[in-house]
């Protein structure tokens, strides 16, 4: 339940050789190095980017100390005072700052100071690192317009974060490598959902995940033989032989804080507007007594929901349940002690259902004695000795290779067995990557049919499968088609003749008169031709009938223009055509099969035809494809 404890649990287990799987722990999967660097690329005047830049500068890669950071901040403030974020004549800048609630004189950009650090007394190493980081940011900003995943991989290559992860000790390396993969998976999913998102949109997504979802979560736990670290919410519906609840502490689980009340928070939806409004109390009177009664009712609901979560926690164990708590928290001044849930578990164990292994008595101290123990820490945090030694050893090997110079042509360096195995592994990886690149750039590409497609797409599949594949592989915008617009308007007109009349006529809507700025004589001619044709006085059984037809495991959707009843009790499906080009009979076959299944009759009882309105001709193609033949069209090949 308390996420801050999980990294320590994870590392302790991994250091002991226990396989661990982290599930749904949000903040564990945040990758601050990548997110912080991306945050500095697009918005130079955003104050939130300053915190990201400070974390980068003080992080393990750049190692800028407090003195140089303070000087950089002073330089940023000097730039604001000397140049001003918005001068009195800059009306647009002042208005934007007023709308955003930010005083333009207070917008300090550390990124600007990084580009122009000035002549302050920085250390030599800090000045060199400022220049290198500024150069990297300038280079990455040139690629901000690239697809999101390409930009993220470019950031990883620039920062060498994958190398840093590989040089970490075993436990953090395992957790951080999993976090890196999960982070890129979330970015890919966001890119698929949003099409081609911008850097700003992705950063907004990360901030929303941190604020509302406590970070980016993983999926449900796997069936692998490992220790699962997860929240109670993620454990719903699952069961394990042994379950450990490590923090059944007062004001932790149950927390007792409850949800926000709409009576005191404008950001909370009123309970009367919720779909489950009947489950909530109502404000009987807008008085102190009435509001207190409403709050008491809400607290009872919160307690009941917390109790349900506690029930989930203690019933996940198949054989053994281990529960614990503590008296003193890491930062709390007052004692905590066991929660009501742990007291319940203790009483149950004392009846013979379990064992109370240890129960510490309530301490005599009134305040946390551990708070008096002052622990000093160095900031920035020193690098761990093991990964630092590994990086320095690798750097020495590179320097030694550079000092030897290039090898003689054709000479093969002597390799020990471990190096040979490593190179063979690299060769296999390179071969797989080259094969993947060849598949990605091959001329012929297998394009899978989507699970759902329109009737017109099915017609295109029968007539021009290669063209449909090109459109699916790379959708392109279509040029304006006046004929298609005319057909849409004609269908709407016919629907108005026989269908249900709307409460407001389309011509009554604001701006509708714009349609008639240029008279459409062809539209009027089509209307006159229809009124003089064979269907003008016949009332259809259905108009604009929608359908979803399952063929070959795929859903074909569409809309039938008109369905008529025939004297023998059958049906006649008619499709209006406002053009003169002969239509594809596959379209009629789809409509006939769809209506036969809707009406529950055999396909032989359903006729079909095209009505070419301009000429008044009705075309009834023979030998229409049956439903089985349409399914073969979708499955063969």
């Amino acid at each position: 339940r308390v996420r801050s404890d999980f990294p320590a649990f994870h590392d302790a287990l991994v250091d002991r050789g226990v396989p661990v799987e982290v599930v749904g722990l949000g903040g564990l999967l945040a990758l601050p190095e990548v997110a912080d660097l991306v945050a500095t690329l697009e918005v130079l005047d955003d104050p939130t980017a300053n915190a990201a830049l400070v974390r980068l500068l003080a992080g393990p890669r750049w190692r800028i100390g407090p003195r140089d950071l303070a000087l950089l901040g002073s330089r940023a403030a000097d730039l604001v005072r000397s140049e001003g974020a918005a001068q009195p004549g800059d009306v647009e800048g002042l208005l934007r700052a007023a709308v955003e609630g930010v005083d333009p004189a207070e917008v300090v950009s550390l990124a600007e100071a990084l580009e122009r650090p000035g002549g302050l007394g920085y250390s030599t190493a800090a000045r060199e690192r400022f220049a290198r980081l500024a150069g990297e940011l300038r280079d990455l900003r040139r690629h901000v317009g690239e697809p999101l995943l390409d930009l993220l991989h470019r950031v990883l290559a620039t920062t060498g974060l994958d190398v840093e992860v590989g040089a970490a000790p075993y436990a953090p390396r395992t957790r951080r490598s999993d976090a890196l993969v999960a982070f890129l998976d979330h970015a890919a999913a966001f890119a698929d959902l949003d099409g081609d998102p911008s850097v700003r949109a992705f950063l907004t997504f990360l901030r929303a995940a941190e604020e509302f979802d406590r970070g980016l979560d993983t999926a449900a736990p796997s069936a692998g033989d490992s220790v699962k670290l997860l929240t109670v919410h993620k454990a719903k519906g699952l069961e394990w032989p042994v379950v450990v609840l490590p923090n059944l502490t007062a004001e932790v689980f149950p927390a007792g804080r409850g949800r926000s009340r709409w009576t005191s928070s404008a950001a909370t939806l009123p309970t009367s507007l919720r779909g489950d409004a009947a489950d909530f109390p109502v404000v009987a009177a807008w008085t102190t007594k009435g509001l207190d009664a409403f709050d008491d009712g809400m607290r009872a609901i919160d307690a009941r929901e917390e109790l349900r979560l506690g029930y989930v926690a203690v019933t996940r164990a198949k054989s053994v349940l281990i529960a614990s708590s503590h008296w003193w928290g890491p930062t709390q001044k007052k004692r905590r002690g066991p929660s009501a849930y742990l007291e319940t578990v203790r009483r149950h164990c004392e009846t013979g259902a379990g064992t109370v292994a240890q129960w510490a008595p309530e301490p005599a101290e009134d305040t946390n004695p551990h708070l008096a123990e002052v622990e000093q820490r160095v900031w920035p945090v020193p690098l761990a000795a093991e990964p630092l030694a590994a990086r320095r050893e690798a750097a020495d090997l590179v320097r030694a290779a550079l000092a030897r110079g290039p090898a003689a042509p054709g000479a093969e360096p002597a390799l020990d067995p471990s190096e040979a195995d490593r190179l063979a592994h690299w060769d296999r990886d390179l071969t797989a990557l080259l094969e993947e690149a060849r598949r990605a750039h091959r001329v012929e590409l297998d394009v899978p049919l989507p699970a759902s497609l329109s009737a017109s797409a099915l017609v295109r599949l029968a007539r021009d499968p290669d063209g449909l594949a090109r459109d699916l592989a790379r959708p392109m915008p279509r040029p304006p088609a006046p004929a298609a617009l005319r057909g849409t308007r004609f269908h709407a007109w016919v629907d108005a003749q026989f269908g249900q009349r709307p409460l407001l006529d389309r011509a009554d809507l604001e701006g509708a008169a714009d349609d008639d700025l240029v008279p459409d004589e062809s539209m009027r001619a089509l209307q006159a031709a229809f009124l003089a044709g064979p269907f003008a006085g016949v009332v259809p059984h259905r108009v604009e009938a929608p359908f979803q037809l399952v063929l070959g495991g795929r859903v074909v959707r569409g809309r039938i223009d008109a369905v008529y009843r025939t004297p023998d009790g059958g049906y006649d499906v008619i499709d209006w055509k406002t053009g003169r080009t002969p239509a594809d009979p596959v379209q009629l076959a789809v409509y006939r099969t769809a209506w036969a299944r809707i009406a529950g009759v055999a396909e032989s009882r359903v006729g079909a035809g095209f009505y070419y309105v301009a000429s008044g001709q009705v075309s009834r193609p023979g030998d229409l494809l049956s439903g089985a033949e349409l399914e073969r069209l979708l499955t063969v090949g």
Side-chain angles (χ1 to χ4, degrees), residues 1-12 25 28 229 246-247 249 252 326 330 336:
R1 185 68 187 274
V2 181
R3 294 163 182 257
S4 59
D5 294 337
F6 283 114
F9 293 154
H10 176 279
D11 293 350
L25 298 182
L28 282 183
L229 287 179
N247 207 351
T249 305
V252 176
H326 57 261
R336 280 181 162 180

Side-chain angles (χ1 to χ4, degrees), residues 173-365:
R173 178 170 70 248
T174 303
R175 173 155 50 89
R176 287 169 62 84
S177 61
D178 292 342
L180 179 59
V181 173
F183 180 84
L184 294 176
D185 288 344
H186 278 286
F190 179 75
D192 291 340
L193 181 66
D194 199 65
D196 188 12
S198 64
V199 172
R200 191 186 299 267
F202 183 60
L203 290 174
T204 303
F205 163 70
L206 293 180
R207 295 187 186 113
E210 182 67 24
E211 180 178 358
F212 299 106
D213 296 334
R214 301 183 184 181
L216 303 175
D217 286 346
T218 54
S222 70
D225 187 11
S226 63
V227 174
K228 321 292 184 186
L229 287 179
L230 68 163
T231 60
V232 179
H233 288 89
K234 286 287 182 179
K236 289 181 179 179
L238 303 175
E239 187 181 58
W240 292 273
V242 180
V243 171
V244 179
L245 301 178
N247 207 351
L248 296 184
T249 305
E251 299 183 1
V252 176
F253 192 17
R257 289 185 293 271
R259 72 184 78 192
S260 300
R261 310 282 194 265
W262 69 271
T263 53
S264 58
S265 173
T268 303
L269 183 71
T271 53
S272 58
L273 300 180
R274 294 171 54 118
D276 54 352
D279 298 333
F280 290 91
V282 296
V283 180
W286 288 97
T287 61
T288 301
K289 185 177 181 180
L291 292 176
D292 288 344
F294 173 78
D295 289 341
D296 291 342
M298 291 296 295
R299 276 191 287 270
I301 291 177
D302 294 335
R304 185 166 64 248
E305 291 187 357
E306 197 89 28
L307 185 61
R308 289 171 179 167
L309 195 61
Y311 171 80
V312 171
V314 300
T315 54
R316 298 310 93 194
K318 184 177 181 180
S319 303
V320 179
L321 174 69
I322 303 173
S324 67
S325 179
H326 57 261
W327 283 108
W328 300 116
T331 59
Q332 287 72 25
K333 183 178 180 180
K334 296 183 179 181
R335 66 176 68 89
R336 280 181 162 180
S339 70
Y341 294 173
L342 186 60
E343 293 281 8
T344 302
V345 173
R346 178 192 182 189
R347 289 193 297 269
H348 188 63
C349 291
E350 289 174 344
T351 62
T355 302
V356 180
Q358 183 177 356
W359 192 269
E362 184 175 356
E365 297 92 339

Side-chain angles (χ1 to χ4, degrees), residues 492-493 495-497 500-513 515-516:
W493 177 79
D495 187 20
Q497 302 302 308
Q500 182 178 359
R501 296 283 185 172
L503 182 62
L504 291 176
D505 189 76
R506 182 175 180 272
D508 296 333
L509 299 178
E510 182 179 357
D515 292 345
D516 297 327

